Amino acid sequence: FPAILRTEIVQKILTSSYEALPETFSEDIRQLVADTLQPNPANRPSVSEILTRPFVVNYLHEKNKQTIKTLYRTLEELRALADDLERVHFNTTVGSLTGGVIGLAGG
């Protein structure tokens, strides 16, 4: 809304004087905005109703899949790092023990 004050925005909603979204937006989004800006609050969808709209569910599902993929990649990186640290620890321990044995044998 090209309104500076909240009261102007509320007035535009109550008088239904806002411009509809351009057709570059999907029909689902345009319908959601139109439904949400109903002058009568009883006609507006609840958050639960909005979250059950198929396009919202699909969007959230895709975002969750992306997040899960990212988490699995990060988990693999952490596992590789842990393996590398374990190898360094093992080699350091072997080196230390070998040096001790050689020192003991020399003594």
PDB file of all heavy atoms in Angstrom, residues 61-96:
ATOM      1  N   HIS A  61       6.867 -27.604   2.232  1.00  0.00           N
ATOM      2  CA  HIS A  61       7.424 -28.938   2.020  1.00  0.00           C
ATOM      3  C   HIS A  61       8.749 -28.844   1.260  1.00  0.00           C
ATOM      4  O   HIS A  61       9.747 -29.486   1.629  1.00  0.00           O
ATOM      5  CB  HIS A  61       6.417 -29.813   1.264  1.00  0.00           C
ATOM      6  CG  HIS A  61       6.909 -31.191   0.990  1.00  0.00           C
ATOM      7  ND1 HIS A  61       7.030 -32.141   1.975  1.00  0.00           N
ATOM      8  CD2 HIS A  61       7.336 -31.771  -0.158  1.00  0.00           C
ATOM      9  CE1 HIS A  61       7.510 -33.248   1.448  1.00  0.00           C
ATOM     10  NE2 HIS A  61       7.699 -33.058   0.146  1.00  0.00           N
ATOM     11  N   GLU A  62       8.780 -28.047   0.195  1.00  0.00           N
ATOM     12  CA  GLU A  62      10.001 -27.878  -0.587  1.00  0.00           C
ATOM     13  C   GLU A  62      11.110 -27.236   0.245  1.00  0.00           C
ATOM     14  O   GLU A  62      12.273 -27.643   0.168  1.00  0.00           O
ATOM     15  CB  GLU A  62       9.737 -27.050  -1.850  1.00  0.00           C
ATOM     16  CG  GLU A  62       8.971 -27.796  -2.907  1.00  0.00           C
ATOM     17  CD  GLU A  62       9.651 -29.081  -3.339  1.00  0.00           C
ATOM     18  OE1 GLU A  62      10.879 -29.070  -3.592  1.00  0.00           O
ATOM     19  OE2 GLU A  62       8.958 -30.111  -3.423  1.00  0.00           O
ATOM     20  N   LYS A  63      10.748 -26.240   1.039  1.00  0.00           N
ATOM     21  CA  LYS A  63      11.743 -25.586   1.902  1.00  0.00           C
ATOM     22  C   LYS A  63      12.312 -26.584   2.905  1.00  0.00           C
ATOM     23  O   LYS A  63      13.519 -26.586   3.181  1.00  0.00           O
ATOM     24  CB  LYS A  63      11.129 -24.389   2.645  1.00  0.00           C
ATOM     25  CG  LYS A  63      11.054 -23.154   1.803  1.00  0.00           C
ATOM     26  CD  LYS A  63      12.442 -22.722   1.424  1.00  0.00           C
ATOM     27  CE  LYS A  63      12.457 -21.379   0.764  1.00  0.00           C
ATOM     28  NZ  LYS A  63      13.787 -21.027   0.285  1.00  0.00           N
ATOM     29  N   ASN A  64      11.445 -27.438   3.466  1.00  0.00           N
ATOM     30  CA  ASN A  64      11.905 -28.452   4.418  1.00  0.00           C
ATOM     31  C   ASN A  64      12.849 -29.435   3.741  1.00  0.00           C
ATOM     32  O   ASN A  64      13.865 -29.826   4.326  1.00  0.00           O
ATOM     33  CB  ASN A  64      10.724 -29.193   5.041  1.00  0.00           C
ATOM     34  CG  ASN A  64      10.056 -28.392   6.124  1.00  0.00           C
ATOM     35  OD1 ASN A  64      10.649 -27.504   6.720  1.00  0.00           O
ATOM     36  ND2 ASN A  64       8.801 -28.689   6.387  1.00  0.00           N
ATOM     37  N   LYS A  65      12.540 -29.851   2.517  1.00  0.00           N
ATOM     38  CA  LYS A  65      13.418 -30.766   1.786  1.00  0.00           C
ATOM     39  C   LYS A  65      14.787 -30.124   1.571  1.00  0.00           C
ATOM     40  O   LYS A  65      15.818 -30.781   1.738  1.00  0.00           O
ATOM     41  CB  LYS A  65      12.791 -31.166   0.453  1.00  0.00           C
ATOM     42  CG  LYS A  65      11.708 -32.199   0.607  1.00  0.00           C
ATOM     43  CD  LYS A  65      10.982 -32.632  -0.658  1.00  0.00           C
ATOM     44  CE  LYS A  65      11.577 -32.388  -1.967  1.00  0.00           C
ATOM     45  NZ  LYS A  65      10.757 -32.835  -3.106  1.00  0.00           N
ATOM     46  N   GLN A  66      14.809 -28.842   1.208  1.00  0.00           N
ATOM     47  CA  GLN A  66      16.078 -28.134   1.011  1.00  0.00           C
ATOM     48  C   GLN A  66      16.865 -28.067   2.313  1.00  0.00           C
ATOM     49  O   GLN A  66      18.083 -28.272   2.330  1.00  0.00           O
ATOM     50  CB  GLN A  66      15.834 -26.725   0.482  1.00  0.00           C
ATOM     51  CG  GLN A  66      15.335 -26.677  -0.934  1.00  0.00           C
ATOM     52  CD  GLN A  66      14.959 -25.260  -1.356  1.00  0.00           C
ATOM     53  OE1 GLN A  66      15.162 -24.301  -0.627  1.00  0.00           O
ATOM     54  NE2 GLN A  66      14.387 -25.138  -2.543  1.00  0.00           N
ATOM     55  N   THR A  67      16.163 -27.789   3.406  1.00  0.00           N
ATOM     56  CA  THR A  67      16.821 -27.700   4.712  1.00  0.00           C
ATOM     57  C   THR A  67      17.401 -29.050   5.110  1.00  0.00           C
ATOM     58  O   THR A  67      18.534 -29.128   5.613  1.00  0.00           O
ATOM     59  CB  THR A  67      15.825 -27.208   5.779  1.00  0.00           C
ATOM     60  OG1 THR A  67      15.348 -25.923   5.401  1.00  0.00           O
ATOM     61  CG2 THR A  67      16.476 -27.126   7.153  1.00  0.00           C
ATOM     62  N   ILE A  68      16.652 -30.116   4.874  1.00  0.00           N
ATOM     63  CA  ILE A  68      17.131 -31.457   5.212  1.00  0.00           C
ATOM     64  C   ILE A  68      18.375 -31.794   4.388  1.00  0.00           C
ATOM     65  O   ILE A  68      19.356 -32.324   4.924  1.00  0.00           O
ATOM     66  CB  ILE A  68      16.014 -32.499   5.015  1.00  0.00           C
ATOM     67  CG1 ILE A  68      14.956 -32.319   6.108  1.00  0.00           C
ATOM     68  CG2 ILE A  68      16.566 -33.927   5.017  1.00  0.00           C
ATOM     69  CD1 ILE A  68      13.681 -33.093   5.881  1.00  0.00           C
ATOM     70  N   LYS A  69      18.371 -31.468   3.093  1.00  0.00           N
ATOM     71  CA  LYS A  69      19.545 -31.716   2.258  1.00  0.00           C
ATOM     72  C   LYS A  69      20.760 -30.957   2.790  1.00  0.00           C
ATOM     73  O   LYS A  69      21.864 -31.501   2.870  1.00  0.00           O
ATOM     74  CB  LYS A  69      19.272 -31.300   0.809  1.00  0.00           C
ATOM     75  CG  LYS A  69      18.397 -32.254   0.050  1.00  0.00           C
ATOM     76  CD  LYS A  69      18.172 -31.751  -1.363  1.00  0.00           C
ATOM     77  CE  LYS A  69      17.198 -32.639  -2.116  1.00  0.00           C
ATOM     78  NZ  LYS A  69      16.923 -32.136  -3.466  1.00  0.00           N
ATOM     79  N   THR A  70      20.550 -29.714   3.171  1.00  0.00           N
ATOM     80  CA  THR A  70      21.639 -28.901   3.720  1.00  0.00           C
ATOM     81  C   THR A  70      22.158 -29.507   5.019  1.00  0.00           C
ATOM     82  O   THR A  70      23.375 -29.587   5.240  1.00  0.00           O
ATOM     83  CB  THR A  70      21.160 -27.456   3.960  1.00  0.00           C
ATOM     84  OG1 THR A  70      20.725 -26.896   2.719  1.00  0.00           O
ATOM     85  CG2 THR A  70      22.256 -26.592   4.560  1.00  0.00           C
ATOM     86  N   LEU A  71      21.255 -29.961   5.867  1.00  0.00           N
ATOM     87  CA  LEU A  71      21.666 -30.566   7.138  1.00  0.00           C
ATOM     88  C   LEU A  71      22.455 -31.856   6.909  1.00  0.00           C
ATOM     89  O   LEU A  71      23.456 -32.100   7.581  1.00  0.00           O
ATOM     90  CB  LEU A  71      20.444 -30.839   8.016  1.00  0.00           C
ATOM     91  CG  LEU A  71      19.778 -29.604   8.619  1.00  0.00           C
ATOM     92  CD1 LEU A  71      18.486 -29.990   9.335  1.00  0.00           C
ATOM     93  CD2 LEU A  71      20.714 -28.888   9.577  1.00  0.00           C
ATOM     94  N   TYR A  72      22.018 -32.677   5.944  1.00  0.00           N
ATOM     95  CA  TYR A  72      22.758 -33.901   5.642  1.00  0.00           C
ATOM     96  C   TYR A  72      24.158 -33.595   5.102  1.00  0.00           C
ATOM     97  O   TYR A  72      25.126 -34.259   5.463  1.00  0.00           O
ATOM     98  CB  TYR A  72      21.991 -34.785   4.653  1.00  0.00           C
ATOM     99  CG  TYR A  72      21.005 -35.715   5.329  1.00  0.00           C
ATOM    100  CD1 TYR A  72      19.646 -35.608   5.072  1.00  0.00           C
ATOM    101  CD2 TYR A  72      21.430 -36.690   6.219  1.00  0.00           C
ATOM    102  CE1 TYR A  72      18.745 -36.450   5.696  1.00  0.00           C
ATOM    103  CE2 TYR A  72      20.537 -37.532   6.850  1.00  0.00           C
ATOM    104  CZ  TYR A  72      19.192 -37.412   6.587  1.00  0.00           C
ATOM    105  OH  TYR A  72      18.307 -38.239   7.208  1.00  0.00           O
ATOM    106  N   ARG A  73      24.264 -32.566   4.231  1.00  0.00           N
ATOM    107  CA  ARG A  73      25.583 -32.175   3.722  1.00  0.00           C
ATOM    108  C   ARG A  73      26.482 -31.728   4.869  1.00  0.00           C
ATOM    109  O   ARG A  73      27.651 -32.108   4.953  1.00  0.00           O
ATOM    110  CB  ARG A  73      25.449 -31.051   2.693  1.00  0.00           C
ATOM    111  CG  ARG A  73      25.280 -31.521   1.281  1.00  0.00           C
ATOM    112  CD  ARG A  73      25.527 -30.402   0.268  1.00  0.00           C
ATOM    113  NE  ARG A  73      24.788 -29.186   0.539  1.00  0.00           N
ATOM    114  CZ  ARG A  73      23.551 -28.932   0.101  1.00  0.00           C
ATOM    115  NH1 ARG A  73      22.918 -29.813  -0.636  1.00  0.00           N
ATOM    116  NH2 ARG A  73      22.959 -27.799   0.383  1.00  0.00           N
ATOM    117  N   THR A  74      25.937 -30.923   5.757  1.00  0.00           N
ATOM    118  CA  THR A  74      26.706 -30.431   6.903  1.00  0.00           C
ATOM    119  C   THR A  74      27.114 -31.584   7.814  1.00  0.00           C
ATOM    120  O   THR A  74      28.245 -31.640   8.304  1.00  0.00           O
ATOM    121  CB  THR A  74      25.882 -29.390   7.690  1.00  0.00           C
ATOM    122  OG1 THR A  74      25.516 -28.332   6.811  1.00  0.00           O
ATOM    123  CG2 THR A  74      26.670 -28.826   8.865  1.00  0.00           C
ATOM    124  N   LEU A  75      26.198 -32.538   8.012  1.00  0.00           N
ATOM    125  CA  LEU A  75      26.498 -33.704   8.845  1.00  0.00           C
ATOM    126  C   LEU A  75      27.640 -34.516   8.240  1.00  0.00           C
ATOM    127  O   LEU A  75      28.552 -34.954   8.952  1.00  0.00           O
ATOM    128  CB  LEU A  75      25.250 -34.573   9.000  1.00  0.00           C
ATOM    129  CG  LEU A  75      25.389 -35.821   9.854  1.00  0.00           C
ATOM    130  CD1 LEU A  75      25.801 -35.462  11.278  1.00  0.00           C
ATOM    131  CD2 LEU A  75      24.076 -36.599   9.861  1.00  0.00           C
ATOM    132  N   GLU A  76      27.627 -34.705   6.926  1.00  0.00           N
ATOM    133  CA  GLU A  76      28.708 -35.432   6.254  1.00  0.00           C
ATOM    134  C   GLU A  76      30.038 -34.694   6.412  1.00  0.00           C
ATOM    135  O   GLU A  76      31.077 -35.320   6.640  1.00  0.00           O
ATOM    136  CB  GLU A  76      28.378 -35.656   4.780  1.00  0.00           C
ATOM    137  CG  GLU A  76      27.296 -36.692   4.552  1.00  0.00           C
ATOM    138  CD  GLU A  76      27.613 -38.037   5.184  1.00  0.00           C
ATOM    139  OE1 GLU A  76      28.757 -38.523   5.058  1.00  0.00           O
ATOM    140  OE2 GLU A  76      26.710 -38.603   5.842  1.00  0.00           O
ATOM    141  N   GLU A  77      30.018 -33.390   6.306  1.00  0.00           N
ATOM    142  CA  GLU A  77      31.243 -32.599   6.485  1.00  0.00           C
ATOM    143  C   GLU A  77      31.771 -32.745   7.916  1.00  0.00           C
ATOM    144  O   GLU A  77      32.983 -32.880   8.126  1.00  0.00           O
ATOM    145  CB  GLU A  77      30.980 -31.127   6.164  1.00  0.00           C
ATOM    146  CG  GLU A  77      30.741 -30.855   4.699  1.00  0.00           C
ATOM    147  CD  GLU A  77      30.266 -29.432   4.426  1.00  0.00           C
ATOM    148  OE1 GLU A  77      30.255 -28.602   5.356  1.00  0.00           O
ATOM    149  OE2 GLU A  77      29.905 -29.150   3.264  1.00  0.00           O
ATOM    150  N   LEU A  78      30.863 -32.730   8.882  1.00  0.00           N
ATOM    151  CA  LEU A  78      31.277 -32.890  10.281  1.00  0.00           C
ATOM    152  C   LEU A  78      31.823 -34.289  10.539  1.00  0.00           C
ATOM    153  O   LEU A  78      32.794 -34.456  11.292  1.00  0.00           O
ATOM    154  CB  LEU A  78      30.104 -32.580  11.222  1.00  0.00           C
ATOM    155  CG  LEU A  78      29.696 -31.115  11.296  1.00  0.00           C
ATOM    156  CD1 LEU A  78      28.403 -30.958  12.102  1.00  0.00           C
ATOM    157  CD2 LEU A  78      30.804 -30.272  11.912  1.00  0.00           C
ATOM    158  N   ARG A  79      31.206 -35.297   9.923  1.00  0.00           N
ATOM    159  CA  ARG A  79      31.720 -36.668  10.074  1.00  0.00           C
ATOM    160  C   ARG A  79      33.130 -36.781   9.489  1.00  0.00           C
ATOM    161  O   ARG A  79      34.010 -37.418  10.084  1.00  0.00           O
ATOM    162  CB  ARG A  79      30.788 -37.661   9.381  1.00  0.00           C
ATOM    163  CG  ARG A  79      29.551 -37.956  10.180  1.00  0.00           C
ATOM    164  CD  ARG A  79      28.707 -39.009   9.504  1.00  0.00           C
ATOM    165  NE  ARG A  79      27.541 -39.300  10.325  1.00  0.00           N
ATOM    166  CZ  ARG A  79      26.367 -39.638   9.853  1.00  0.00           C
ATOM    167  NH1 ARG A  79      26.176 -39.750   8.546  1.00  0.00           N
ATOM    168  NH2 ARG A  79      25.362 -39.886  10.663  1.00  0.00           N
ATOM    169  N   ALA A  80      33.337 -36.179   8.324  1.00  0.00           N
ATOM    170  CA  ALA A  80      34.668 -36.210   7.698  1.00  0.00           C
ATOM    171  C   ALA A  80      35.684 -35.504   8.588  1.00  0.00           C
ATOM    172  O   ALA A  80      36.806 -35.988   8.770  1.00  0.00           O
ATOM    173  CB  ALA A  80      34.610 -35.574   6.315  1.00  0.00           C
ATOM    174  N   LEU A  81      35.296 -34.384   9.158  1.00  0.00           N
ATOM    175  CA  LEU A  81      36.183 -33.655  10.061  1.00  0.00           C
ATOM    176  C   LEU A  81      36.502 -34.497  11.291  1.00  0.00           C
ATOM    177  O   LEU A  81      37.658 -34.582  11.718  1.00  0.00           O
ATOM    178  CB  LEU A  81      35.539 -32.330  10.474  1.00  0.00           C
ATOM    179  CG  LEU A  81      36.330 -31.465  11.449  1.00  0.00           C
ATOM    180  CD1 LEU A  81      37.670 -31.055  10.838  1.00  0.00           C
ATOM    181  CD2 LEU A  81      35.518 -30.240  11.829  1.00  0.00           C
ATOM    182  N   ALA A  82      35.498 -35.156  11.853  1.00  0.00           N
ATOM    183  CA  ALA A  82      35.721 -36.010  13.024  1.00  0.00           C
ATOM    184  C   ALA A  82      36.650 -37.166  12.680  1.00  0.00           C
ATOM    185  O   ALA A  82      37.541 -37.516  13.471  1.00  0.00           O
ATOM    186  CB  ALA A  82      34.381 -36.535  13.550  1.00  0.00           C
ATOM    187  N   ASP A  83      36.465 -37.752  11.490  1.00  0.00           N
ATOM    188  CA  ASP A  83      37.361 -38.838  11.062  1.00  0.00           C
ATOM    189  C   ASP A  83      38.794 -38.333  10.936  1.00  0.00           C
ATOM    190  O   ASP A  83      39.736 -39.007  11.368  1.00  0.00           O
ATOM    191  CB  ASP A  83      36.893 -39.422   9.726  1.00  0.00           C
ATOM    192  CG  ASP A  83      35.606 -40.228   9.847  1.00  0.00           C
ATOM    193  OD1 ASP A  83      35.222 -40.575  10.988  1.00  0.00           O
ATOM    194  OD2 ASP A  83      34.975 -40.503   8.798  1.00  0.00           O
ATOM    195  N   ASP A  84      38.972 -37.162  10.360  1.00  0.00           N
ATOM    196  CA  ASP A  84      40.310 -36.586  10.221  1.00  0.00           C
ATOM    197  C   ASP A  84      40.937 -36.329  11.582  1.00  0.00           C
ATOM    198  O   ASP A  84      42.121 -36.617  11.800  1.00  0.00           O
ATOM    199  CB  ASP A  84      40.264 -35.287   9.416  1.00  0.00           C
ATOM    200  CG  ASP A  84      39.955 -35.523   7.938  1.00  0.00           C
ATOM    201  OD1 ASP A  84      40.076 -36.671   7.471  1.00  0.00           O
ATOM    202  OD2 ASP A  84      39.578 -34.536   7.262  1.00  0.00           O
ATOM    203  N   LEU A  85      40.154 -35.791  12.498  1.00  0.00           N
ATOM    204  CA  LEU A  85      40.671 -35.528  13.850  1.00  0.00           C
ATOM    205  C   LEU A  85      41.041 -36.827  14.553  1.00  0.00           C
ATOM    206  O   LEU A  85      42.048 -36.894  15.259  1.00  0.00           O
ATOM    207  CB  LEU A  85      39.640 -34.740  14.669  1.00  0.00           C
ATOM    208  CG  LEU A  85      39.439 -33.287  14.265  1.00  0.00           C
ATOM    209  CD1 LEU A  85      38.270 -32.684  15.036  1.00  0.00           C
ATOM    210  CD2 LEU A  85      40.707 -32.480  14.491  1.00  0.00           C
ATOM    211  N   GLU A  86      40.239 -37.862  14.345  1.00  0.00           N
ATOM    212  CA  GLU A  86      40.535 -39.146  14.969  1.00  0.00           C
ATOM    213  C   GLU A  86      41.840 -39.725  14.415  1.00  0.00           C
ATOM    214  O   GLU A  86      42.661 -40.268  15.158  1.00  0.00           O
ATOM    215  CB  GLU A  86      39.378 -40.120  14.722  1.00  0.00           C
ATOM    216  CG  GLU A  86      39.505 -41.405  15.515  1.00  0.00           C
ATOM    217  CD  GLU A  86      38.270 -42.277  15.391  1.00  0.00           C
ATOM    218  OE1 GLU A  86      37.174 -41.736  15.170  1.00  0.00           O
ATOM    219  OE2 GLU A  86      38.429 -43.502  15.513  1.00  0.00           O
ATOM    220  N   ARG A  87      42.046 -39.583  13.080  1.00  0.00           N
ATOM    221  CA  ARG A  87      43.293 -40.057  12.464  1.00  0.00           C
ATOM    222  C   ARG A  87      44.501 -39.301  13.021  1.00  0.00           C
ATOM    223  O   ARG A  87      45.524 -39.897  13.344  1.00  0.00           O
ATOM    224  CB  ARG A  87      43.225 -39.891  10.946  1.00  0.00           C
ATOM    225  CG  ARG A  87      42.790 -41.141  10.212  1.00  0.00           C
ATOM    226  CD  ARG A  87      43.018 -41.022   8.712  1.00  0.00           C
ATOM    227  NE  ARG A  87      42.249 -39.945   8.086  1.00  0.00           N
ATOM    228  CZ  ARG A  87      40.954 -40.032   7.794  1.00  0.00           C
ATOM    229  NH1 ARG A  87      40.274 -41.114   8.088  1.00  0.00           N
ATOM    230  NH2 ARG A  87      40.336 -39.025   7.219  1.00  0.00           N
ATOM    231  N   VAL A  88      44.373 -37.998  13.161  1.00  0.00           N
ATOM    232  CA  VAL A  88      45.473 -37.192  13.710  1.00  0.00           C
ATOM    233  C   VAL A  88      45.768 -37.628  15.143  1.00  0.00           C
ATOM    234  O   VAL A  88      46.931 -37.825  15.523  1.00  0.00           O
ATOM    235  CB  VAL A  88      45.133 -35.679  13.650  1.00  0.00           C
ATOM    236  CG1 VAL A  88      46.107 -34.866  14.490  1.00  0.00           C
ATOM    237  CG2 VAL A  88      45.125 -35.193  12.214  1.00  0.00           C
ATOM    238  N   HIS A  89      44.738 -37.816  15.927  1.00  0.00           N
ATOM    239  CA  HIS A  89      44.913 -38.246  17.320  1.00  0.00           C
ATOM    240  C   HIS A  89      45.593 -39.612  17.372  1.00  0.00           C
ATOM    241  O   HIS A  89      46.529 -39.829  18.143  1.00  0.00           O
ATOM    242  CB  HIS A  89      43.566 -38.285  18.036  1.00  0.00           C
ATOM    243  CG  HIS A  89      43.667 -38.736  19.452  1.00  0.00           C
ATOM    244  ND1 HIS A  89      43.394 -40.028  19.831  1.00  0.00           N
ATOM    245  CD2 HIS A  89      44.037 -38.079  20.582  1.00  0.00           C
ATOM    246  CE1 HIS A  89      43.584 -40.148  21.126  1.00  0.00           C
ATOM    247  NE2 HIS A  89      43.969 -38.979  21.610  1.00  0.00           N
ATOM    248  N   PHE A  90      45.130 -40.533  16.533  1.00  0.00           N
ATOM    249  CA  PHE A  90      45.711 -41.878  16.513  1.00  0.00           C
ATOM    250  C   PHE A  90      47.187 -41.812  16.132  1.00  0.00           C
ATOM    251  O   PHE A  90      48.039 -42.406  16.795  1.00  0.00           O
ATOM    252  CB  PHE A  90      44.939 -42.762  15.519  1.00  0.00           C
ATOM    253  CG  PHE A  90      45.526 -44.140  15.374  1.00  0.00           C
ATOM    254  CD1 PHE A  90      45.301 -45.113  16.331  1.00  0.00           C
ATOM    255  CD2 PHE A  90      46.324 -44.450  14.276  1.00  0.00           C
ATOM    256  CE1 PHE A  90      45.850 -46.379  16.199  1.00  0.00           C
ATOM    257  CE2 PHE A  90      46.879 -45.714  14.135  1.00  0.00           C
ATOM    258  CZ  PHE A  90      46.649 -46.696  15.099  1.00  0.00           C
ATOM    259  N   ASN A  91      47.491 -41.093  15.059  1.00  0.00           N
ATOM    260  CA  ASN A  91      48.884 -40.998  14.602  1.00  0.00           C
ATOM    261  C   ASN A  91      49.770 -40.310  15.641  1.00  0.00           C
ATOM    262  O   ASN A  91      50.923 -40.692  15.827  1.00  0.00           O
ATOM    263  CB  ASN A  91      48.962 -40.271  13.261  1.00  0.00           C
ATOM    264  CG  ASN A  91      48.371 -41.102  12.130  1.00  0.00           C
ATOM    265  OD1 ASN A  91      48.312 -42.328  12.223  1.00  0.00           O
ATOM    266  ND2 ASN A  91      47.920 -40.441  11.075  1.00  0.00           N
ATOM    267  N   THR A  92      49.239 -39.309  16.299  1.00  0.00           N
ATOM    268  CA  THR A  92      49.999 -38.625  17.349  1.00  0.00           C
ATOM    269  C   THR A  92      50.269 -39.577  18.508  1.00  0.00           C
ATOM    270  O   THR A  92      51.372 -39.625  19.055  1.00  0.00           O
ATOM    271  CB  THR A  92      49.223 -37.394  17.850  1.00  0.00           C
ATOM    272  OG1 THR A  92      48.967 -36.532  16.757  1.00  0.00           O
ATOM    273  CG2 THR A  92      49.991 -36.643  18.918  1.00  0.00           C
ATOM    274  N   THR A  93      49.251 -40.354  18.876  1.00  0.00           N
ATOM    275  CA  THR A  93      49.411 -41.312  19.976  1.00  0.00           C
ATOM    276  C   THR A  93      50.436 -42.381  19.607  1.00  0.00           C
ATOM    277  O   THR A  93      51.324 -42.718  20.398  1.00  0.00           O
ATOM    278  CB  THR A  93      48.055 -41.969  20.316  1.00  0.00           C
ATOM    279  OG1 THR A  93      47.135 -40.946  20.660  1.00  0.00           O
ATOM    280  CG2 THR A  93      48.181 -42.943  21.468  1.00  0.00           C
ATOM    281  N   VAL A  94      50.330 -42.920  18.380  1.00  0.00           N
ATOM    282  CA  VAL A  94      51.294 -43.939  17.932  1.00  0.00           C
ATOM    283  C   VAL A  94      52.702 -43.353  17.923  1.00  0.00           C
ATOM    284  O   VAL A  94      53.656 -43.983  18.384  1.00  0.00           O
ATOM    285  CB  VAL A  94      50.898 -44.485  16.532  1.00  0.00           C
ATOM    286  CG1 VAL A  94      52.026 -45.306  15.925  1.00  0.00           C
ATOM    287  CG2 VAL A  94      49.633 -45.311  16.628  1.00  0.00           C
ATOM    288  N   GLY A  95      52.833 -42.144  17.405  1.00  0.00           N
ATOM    289  CA  GLY A  95      54.153 -41.500  17.372  1.00  0.00           C
ATOM    290  C   GLY A  95      54.719 -41.302  18.762  1.00  0.00           C
ATOM    291  O   GLY A  95      55.911 -41.529  19.008  1.00  0.00           O
ATOM    292  N   SER A  96      53.876 -40.910  19.672  1.00  0.00           N
ATOM    293  CA  SER A  96      54.324 -40.684  21.045  1.00  0.00           C
ATOM    294  C   SER A  96      54.752 -41.985  21.704  1.00  0.00           C
ATOM    295  O   SER A  96      55.803 -42.048  22.353  1.00  0.00           O
ATOM    296  CB  SER A  96      53.186 -40.027  21.840  1.00  0.00           C
ATOM    297  OG  SER A  96      53.557 -39.876  23.187  1.00  0.00           O
TER     298      SER A  96
END
